[in-house]
Amino acid sequence: MKKRIVTLLCLVACLQVCWAQNTVESIRQRYNAMKEYIATHQGNDQYDGAEWGNWYHLEVRQWLPGTGGHIEETYFYYDEDEPEDEDVIYPPHYVQFITKKFNFAARQFFQEFLYDKDGSVAFIYSYDPMTSFEGDEHDMEYEFRFYLNKGKMIKGIIKRKDGDDKEFKEVWSGSTLKPIYKDSFNGFVGTSKTMRQLFLDIECEAY
C-alpha cells in the first residue's frame, strides 16, 4: 500500500513538472491568444477599459546620422497579479508580450517577445530585412522564431527570402543551434531582457 502511495505521489510530482514546462504547442496557443487579443483591442478611448486594453505604448523619435528619421514603437502587454488583499486598488503587473517596430532608413524591422509569468522569455520572433550569415552571402530578408523553456531553446526555425522570392524558405530548424546563428540568438535573448527591464522601469515610474 505504501509503495502504491509513493508511486502515485511521484507520478503527480512528474505531472506538475510537465505542466510547468513550455512546449512548442503550448507556446503557440498562448501566442495566438495574444495576437487575437491585440486584434480585438485597437480602440483608443481612455474611458473604456475594455477598448483601452492592458498595455503601455512607448514611441521614440530621433534623427540618426546617415540614416535619417528613426521611429521606434514598442507595445508592452501585461496582466495583473492576483493580490492577497482584496482592498488593493492597483495590483502589480507582469509583462506577457512585447512588440517592437523600428526602422533604419527605409528598412523596417519587427520583433515580438512572449514571456512566462516569472519573466523568462518563451518565444522570440524577429523580422530582419537585410542580413547575411555566410561569407559569400548577400543581404537577404530573414525571419527568426525561437521557442524557449526557462531560458533554454527547445526549437528554432529560421527562414529567408531573396530578391524576387514571394515566400520565405526554411534554411534551418531544430533544437541544437548552428554556430553561425548563435550570436543572433544571444542578441535576441539579450534584447528580450532589456525590453522586460524597460517595462519594469515604466511600471515603477508610471503606475
Side-chain angles (χ1 to χ4, degrees):
M1 185 68 178
K2 287 183 179 180
K3 185 177 180 180
R4 198 172 176 185
I5 293 173
V6 170
T7 302
L8 286 171
L9 290 174
C10 290
L11 177 60
V12 170
C14 289
L15 286 173
Q16 288 176 338
V17 170
C18 292
W19 292 331
Q21 291 180 338
N22 288 334
T23 65
V24 172
E25 184 58 33
S26 68
I27 291 170
R28 283 175 175 166
Q29 289 176 357
R30 288 169 53 201
Y31 175 85
N32 290 336
M34 284 304 309
K35 297 294 279 189
E36 183 179 350
Y37 170 81
I38 293 169
T40 55
H41 289 72
Q42 297 296 329
N44 203 32
D45 181 0
Q46 67 183 36
Y47 299 107
D48 182 352
E51 290 298 319
W52 191 245
N54 291 336
W55 68 73
Y56 297 134
H57 176 203
L58 175 66
E59 181 177 278
V60 176
R61 290 174 174 260
Q62 57 181 321
W63 188 267
L64 297 178
T67 61
H70 174 78
I71 301 175
E72 189 166 316
E73 282 198 282
T74 306
Y75 283 85
F76 305 83
Y77 298 89
Y78 59 82
D79 201 356
E80 294 181 347
D81 270 323
E82 291 291 336
E84 294 182 3
D85 185 354
E86 295 181 357
D87 295 328
V88 172
I89 299 175
Y90 297 109
H93 297 155
Y94 61 92
V95 68
Q96 291 184 298
F97 192 60
I98 295 176
T99 67
K100 181 180 179 182
K101 180 174 68 175
F102 59 96
N103 74 291
F104 286 105
R107 305 283 187 175
Q108 296 287 336
F109 298 74
F110 183 67
Q111 296 178 335
E112 296 175 326
F113 304 97
L114 179 72
Y115 295 86
D116 294 329
K117 192 172 182 179
D118 66 0
S120 302
V121 65
F123 176 71
I124 296 169
Y125 169 82
S126 181
Y127 165 72
D128 188 329
M130 51 176 297
T131 195
S132 62
F133 290 99
E134 304 292 348
D136 58 348
E137 179 183 280
H138 60 275
D139 285 340
M140 289 186 255
E141 295 179 65
Y142 270 84
E143 282 189 334
F144 305 86
R145 291 174 175 84
F146 297 108
Y147 301 81
L148 301 94
N149 180 58
K150 308 306 179 188
K152 182 178 179 181
M153 187 187 72
I154 54 179
K155 185 175 182 178
I157 303 171
I158 298 177
K159 299 180 179 181
R160 74 182 178 196
K161 185 166 65 171
D162 185 18
D164 296 328
D165 291 345
K166 293 184 179 180
E167 297 181 354
F168 284 90
K169 298 177 182 178
E170 187 176 295
V171 294
W172 174 84
S173 68
S175 58
T176 302
L177 198 62
K178 293 176 71 172
I180 59 172
Y181 301 130
K182 283 187 176 180
D183 285 346
S184 293
F185 172 74
N186 291 334
F188 296 142
V189 172
T191 299
S192 75
K193 294 177 180 178
T194 299
M195 300 311 295
R196 178 176 178 266
Q197 184 59 51
L198 183 55
F199 166 79
L200 296 173
D201 292 340
I202 294 172
E203 177 89 348
C204 181
E205 181 65 26
Y207 183 51

